């Protein structure tokens, strides 16, 4: 039987695997983690609203009944399209007849990779755990800080980038400070927390129409977020963020910085030796395959695809649709049938801002506030994988809505809190 390798079990890779469930092919799906992640709700884990199992599920469990599929937990280091093999991180190789690359994207710091340890982005559960630790530890450090200036630095949170993730993160952070932590500290008042949202362009949610963008900004301001558009970050260190705006160079004292300003395609795309766009995405044809190698398909965030003359956005519905089309085209090629051109179906855009605050665009309909928030909630619960996940999310959200409490606020001191060695301690 033809061997199909799928690299990545995100939305696109999973959709492709399921579309081939009844096909007479041998499938190997490879992912560096052992779980599929519902990434749109990842910020909820980072802000202690949800636990990791609520938005993730083991890949082996999801695909356990698919008998034509083998799942491997491994990192792909290289793709050799000439020899039709992929190399894993341990040096072993696997041959394929057809390949679907759905490796996704990573953080982009626009040439300033030295900012990464100081301003983590949010792509994986590990990122979410790191950000959650930083957020909760900032309040703990503020409680112990006697100097009011340094205490204010710990109580100032900076979110860089006002796309959907940045807007959601900023809105949730201010709600944690104003409501969740109320009455829990004795030396600090969490309501004095400052959340600053920096955006280099002139609008938040720049991919949305101007009227919805403005409504999002208004809702953020109403929640208490300090929104600063037209602010381009120039420097980040452990104590501050520097940025340039119309008034020149500015300094913002902040100990906790979260990055949501940009993404870059997986570096795996380079090994295909085909043209890439400025973001490192693979330029593909309408059939989702790469030039000169019709057996190799690229989908999801790694693909620079065009539909109806417009770039396909890097969102989960697009990845799912691409995965299904790539799977059908593999079967079409096996059976000698004409290949299908990818046509993106835009089902709309959603972004939550905070409690009862969101914006939504579905076709020609645009709405915001509480109706958009309810719509966002039910859409995300509907698309979660597995009944247990839906039940967990609904129960956690219902509890948070009624009490303002967030259930995942645990820091493991053994793992998350760095232990300082005495000066005379031997090095390892």
């Amino acid at each position: 039987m033809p061997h199909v390798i799928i690299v990545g079990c995100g939305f696109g890779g999973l959709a492709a695997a399921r579309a081939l469930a009844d096909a007479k092919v041998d499938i190997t799906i490879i992912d560096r983690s052992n779980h599929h992640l519902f990434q749109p709700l990842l910020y909820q884990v980072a802000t202690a609203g949800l636990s990791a199992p609520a938005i993730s599920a083991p890949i082996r469990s999801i695909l356990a009944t698919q008998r034509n599929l083998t799942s491997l937990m491994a990192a792909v280091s290289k793709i050799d399209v000439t020899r039709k093999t992929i190399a894993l991180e341990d040096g072993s190789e696997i041959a394929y007849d057809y390949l679907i690359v759905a490796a996704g994207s990573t953080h982009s710091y626009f040439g300033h990779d030295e900012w990464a340890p100081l301003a983590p982005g949010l792509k994986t559960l590990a990122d979410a755990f790191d950000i959650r630790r930083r957020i909760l530890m900032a309040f703990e450090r503020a409680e112990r800080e006697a100097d009011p200036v340094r205490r204010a630095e710990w109580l100032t949170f900076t979110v860089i980038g006002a796309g959907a993730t940045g807007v959601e993160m900023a809105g949730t952070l201010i709600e944690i400070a104003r409501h969740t932590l109320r009455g829990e500290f004795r030396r600090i008042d969490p309501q004095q927390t400052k959340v600053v949202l920096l955006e280099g362009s002139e609008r938040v949610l720049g991919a949305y129409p101007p009227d919805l963008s403005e409504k999002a900004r208004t809702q953020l301001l109403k929640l208490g977020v300090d929104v600063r558009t037209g602010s381009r970050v120039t420097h980040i260190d452990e104590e501050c963020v520097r940025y340039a705006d119309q008034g020149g160079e500015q300094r913002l004292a902040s100990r906790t910085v979260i990055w949501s300003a940009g993404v870059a395609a997986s570096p795996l795309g380079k090994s295909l030796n085909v043209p890439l766009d400025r973001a490192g995405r693979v330029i593909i044809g309408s059939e989702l395959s790469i030039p000169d190698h019709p057996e190799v398909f690229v989908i999801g965030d790694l693909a620079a695809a065009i539909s109806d003359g417009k770039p396909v956005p890097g969102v989960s519905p697009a990845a799912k649709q691409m995965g299904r089309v790539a799977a059908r085209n593999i079967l079409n090629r096996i059976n000698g049938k004409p290949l299908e051109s990818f046509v993106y179906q835009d089902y709309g855009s959603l972004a939550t801002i905070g409690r009862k605050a969101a914006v939504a665009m579905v076709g020609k309909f645009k709405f915001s506030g509480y109706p958009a928030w309810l719509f966002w909630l039910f859409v995300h619960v509907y698309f979660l994988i597995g009944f247990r996940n839906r039940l967990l999310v609904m129960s956690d959200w219902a509890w948070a809505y009624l009490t303002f409490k967030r259930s995942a606020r645990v820091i493991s001191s053994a793992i998350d809190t760095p232990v300082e060695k005495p000066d005379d301690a031997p090095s390892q």
Side-chain angles (χ1 to χ4, degrees):
M1 287 192 296
H3 185 206
V4 179
I5 291 181
I6 302 173
V7 179
C9 193
F11 289 108
L14 182 60
R18 285 176 160 172
L20 293 169
D22 298 323
K24 292 182 179 180
V25 295
D26 183 18
I27 306 167
T28 301
I29 191 164
I30 304 172
D31 197 288
R32 63 173 58 248
S33 66
N34 77 329
H35 57 270
H36 170 78
L37 179 65
F38 191 79
Q39 208 168 56
L41 290 181
L42 190 56
Y43 83 96
Q44 287 275 343
V45 175
T47 54
L50 294 173
S51 61
I55 66 161
S56 59
I59 296 170
R60 295 186 183 279
S61 175
I62 297 170
L63 300 172
T65 60
Q66 191 165 329
R67 294 302 177 185
N68 65 346
L69 182 142
T70 299
S71 176
L72 298 179
M73 180 180 173
V76 176
S77 60
K78 185 180 179 181
I79 299 171
D80 189 332
V81 294
T82 303
R83 296 174 55 234
K84 297 175 69 172
T85 62
I86 66 162
L88 304 182
E89 82 285 357
D90 62 0
S92 60
E93 291 187 340
I94 306 176
Y96 63 83
D97 296 301
Y98 297 93
L99 175 65
I100 298 176
V101 187
S105 60
T106 185
H107 316 296
S108 172
Y109 290 88
F110 307 112
H112 290 278
D113 291 344
E114 71 275 11
W115 294 348
L118 303 167
L122 187 59
K123 284 290 182 185
T124 67
L125 281 176
D127 294 335
F129 296 151
D130 181 32
I131 290 173
R132 183 178 68 187
R133 177 188 61 81
R134 291 172 187 243
I135 292 171
L136 297 177
M137 283 303 300
F139 289 103
E140 297 296 335
R141 295 288 178 85
E143 178 82 345
R144 293 161 50 187
E145 182 58 64
D147 183 348
V149 175
R150 294 175 65 85
R151 183 187 301 150
E153 293 175 358
W154 284 114
L155 291 177
T156 300
F157 297 84
T158 304
V159 180
I160 301 173
T165 299
V167 165
E168 291 166 348
M169 182 66 70
T172 305
L173 278 173
I174 201 71
E175 289 191 339
I176 290 173
R178 300 287 171 86
H179 301 289
T180 303
L181 300 181
R182 181 185 297 171
E184 294 191 1
F185 292 85
R186 298 296 174 263
R187 299 179 180 176
I188 62 170
D189 179 4
Q191 297 207 41
Q192 299 301 313
T193 297
K194 189 174 186 179
V195 177
V196 181
L197 179 60
L198 298 178
E199 167 58 39
S201 68
E202 296 302 322
R203 292 197 291 125
V204 303
L205 295 179
Y208 286 67
D211 55 341
L212 278 185
S213 174
E214 184 56 34
K215 287 180 180 179
R217 180 189 180 97
T218 300
Q219 291 178 85
L220 284 166
L221 293 173
K222 186 177 180 180
L223 286 172
V225 177
D226 183 350
V227 181
R228 304 182 187 182
T229 54
S231 301
R232 184 174 55 85
V233 174
T234 58
H235 174 79
I236 303 173
D237 61 36
E238 293 181 352
E239 297 183 353
C240 75
V241 175
R242 296 185 186 274
Y243 63 93
D245 61 12
Q246 292 182 346
E249 183 85 359
Q250 309 292 339
R251 182 183 186 275
L252 172 62
S254 175
R255 293 275 185 166
T256 307
V257 183
I258 299 168
W259 184 268
S260 63
V263 296
S266 166
L268 201 58
K270 296 178 181 178
S271 68
L272 295 173
N273 294 318
V274 293
L276 307 176
D277 69 1
R278 293 176 59 187
R281 297 179 301 174
V282 177
I283 299 174
I284 56 174
S286 61
E287 298 161 355
L288 305 182
S289 58
I290 65 174
D292 302 323
H293 289 279
E295 75 282 358
V296 178
F297 298 83
V298 181
I299 64 174
D301 289 349
L302 184 55
I306 301 294
S307 176
D308 292 332
K310 299 177 182 178
V312 177
V315 294
S316 57
K320 291 179 181 179
Q321 293 172 37
M322 292 170 120
R324 289 189 284 265
V325 170
R328 289 197 294 268
N329 277 342
I330 287 175
L331 297 180
N332 288 336
R333 189 167 293 280
I334 291 172
N335 297 320
K337 296 181 179 179
L339 299 193
E340 175 183 342
S341 292
F342 175 71
V343 179
Y344 173 56
Q345 300 294 323
D346 188 356
Y347 298 120
S349 302
L350 295 167
T352 183
I353 297 161
R355 184 183 175 90
K356 300 183 183 180
V359 293
M361 181 173 59
V362 182
K364 296 181 180 180
F365 297 98
K366 296 181 287 187
F367 48 107
S368 62
Y370 188 51
W373 180 76
L374 281 177
F375 185 67
W376 174 90
L377 187 152
F378 286 111
V379 164
H380 281 71
V381 169
Y382 176 79
F383 283 110
L384 275 171
I385 290 177
F387 173 76
R388 180 175 179 273
N389 297 63
R390 296 187 183 104
L391 189 62
L392 281 172
V393 170
M394 285 298 292
S395 60
D396 282 348
W397 278 349
W399 175 253
Y401 183 83
L402 293 172
T403 67
F404 285 100
K405 299 299 181 183
R406 306 182 78 81
S407 59
R409 287 164 43 211
V410 175
I411 305 173
S412 172
S413 59
I415 297 174
D416 295 323
T417 305
V419 178
E420 295 182 4
K421 289 194 227 177
D423 292 339
D424 58 350
S427 58
Q428 298 291 323

